[in-house]
Amino acid sequence: KGVHKLALLTSTDASGQDGESVALENLKLPEFRSLQVVANEHFAVGDLTVTAQLTRIKASGAQAIDAWTTGSPFGTVARGISEAAWDGILMTNAGNQSRAQMEQYSAYLPRQFMICTSPVYAIGQLPAAVRLARATWLDALHQSGIGDPDLPYNVAWDPAMLIVKVLREQGTDVSAQQFRDALLKIHGYAGANGLYDYRRGDQRGIDPRASVVVTWDKAKHDFVTISKPG
């Protein structure tokens, strides 16, 4: 999209600090060498406005803002961007991927809005086992009266199923060390997010590059996938 100037706007809580740290570390990668951080602003989760921070961000010439915060503080950011009449790309994390939250902030969201989210939102060709795992996840939620699940229902599902898998294989009296050793040997496990391989050594099981980007479609009242994995 021709973006070269990026601003970080993060909350001062533990989550925000972690997000800032990860962003600054990732921006050192060769594929991001054309991106320049022109502003790095912070705010407290209890702040009612981010006017001062956005004034400095606008002055920096930033074309995109990575707003790493979740919940009500993200609403403060979205409202502040609207009031500042800043017309760039707003990016945030999947912690804000809630339909109720988007409906609440819809009037404030900028024209270009992106959420980096779970691989469960990837579209296109998928292994048959992954398609079955997604169908099983959705069916379980439908049976529980949840017809259209938001991301939090997905975040909890695969880890819970992996825990059950290890307990079934090792028994419920397995020690913590035995459980960890068994988990780190799992590979080829099909979850709703894709094929897990804990032999990768990063304790994630899924390559972070499997993630996709979505946006909020105000007309459809739903999240729409706008990128390929990675």
Side-chain angles (χ1 to χ4, degrees), residues 45-122:
V45 293
D47 288 350
L48 299 179
T49 177
V50 287
T51 300
Q53 293 89 333
L54 285 168
T55 297
R56 290 190 288 268
I57 287 174
K58 283 188 70 175
S60 74
Q63 299 162 284
I65 296 175
D66 181 11
W68 196 279
T69 189
T70 305
S72 297
F74 176 74
T76 301
V77 170
R79 187 176 65 252
I81 286 175
S82 177
E83 292 172 349
W86 180 81
D87 188 31
I89 300 172
L90 173 61
M91 305 180 293
T92 190
N93 62 74
N96 293 305
Q97 195 172 341
S98 157
R99 288 181 179 84
Q101 192 175 340
M102 290 299 105
E103 292 286 4
Q104 184 178 354
Y105 305 147
S106 184
Y108 303 123
L109 292 177
R111 182 172 51 88
Q112 299 180 89
F113 173 56
M114 300 159 59
I115 296 178
C116 182
T117 189
S118 163
V120 77
Y121 286 89

Side-chain angles (χ1 to χ4, degrees), residues 5-227:
K5 295 182 178 181
L6 175 68
L8 304 182
L9 180 56
T10 53
S11 49
T12 55
D13 59 349
S15 176
Q17 292 178 45
D18 186 52
E20 178 187 8
S21 175
V22 169
L24 292 173
E25 186 66 27
N26 285 344
L27 285 166
K28 296 176 183 177
L29 296 172
E31 55 263 44
F32 299 129
R33 59 182 175 272
S34 66
L35 281 177
Q36 176 189 5
V37 177
V38 294
N40 189 0
E41 297 290 334
H42 308 85
F43 68 101
V45 293
D47 288 350
L48 299 179
T49 177
V50 287
T51 300
Q53 293 89 333
L54 285 168
T55 297
R56 290 190 288 268
I57 287 174
K58 283 188 70 175
S60 74
Q63 299 162 284
I65 296 175
D66 181 11
W68 196 279
T69 189
T70 305
S72 297
F74 176 74
T76 301
V77 170
R79 187 176 65 252
I81 286 175
S82 177
E83 292 172 349
W86 180 81
D87 188 31
I89 300 172
L90 173 61
M91 305 180 293
T92 190
N93 62 74
N96 293 305
Q97 195 172 341
S98 157
R99 288 181 179 84
Q101 192 175 340
M102 290 299 105
E103 292 286 4
Q104 184 178 354
Y105 305 147
S106 184
Y108 303 123
L109 292 177
R111 182 172 51 88
Q112 299 180 89
F113 173 56
M114 300 159 59
I115 296 178
C116 182
T117 189
S118 163
V120 77
Y121 286 89
I123 56 179
Q125 291 187 336
L126 296 167
V130 174
R131 291 200 303 271
L132 177 59
R134 288 187 182 182
T136 302
W137 163 61
L138 287 170
D139 184 59
L141 289 171
H142 291 168
Q143 291 184 44
S144 299
I146 302 166
D148 203 2
D150 274 336
L151 181 67
Y153 294 104
N154 167 257
V155 172
W157 180 262
D158 279 355
M161 293 299 99
L162 283 159
I163 289 171
V164 170
K165 172 180 170 60
V166 174
L167 292 177
R168 283 174 171 166
E169 294 174 352
Q170 301 294 318
T172 55
D173 59 346
V174 64
S175 70
Q177 185 63 48
Q178 291 171 327
F179 184 100
R180 182 179 185 276
D181 291 345
L183 180 66
L184 292 179
K185 294 177 182 176
I186 291 177
H187 62 279
Y189 176 84
N193 283 296
L195 295 173
Y196 285 77
D197 186 352
Y198 281 95
R199 300 173 304 177
R200 291 169 43 84
D202 61 4
Q203 302 185 24
R204 294 182 62 93
I206 290 225
D207 190 329
R209 289 171 294 185
S211 294
V212 295
V213 171
V214 300
T215 190
W216 173 250
D217 190 312
K218 297 179 183 180
K220 294 181 178 179
H221 301 277
D222 205 356
F223 296 99
V224 176
T225 303
I226 58 173
S227 85

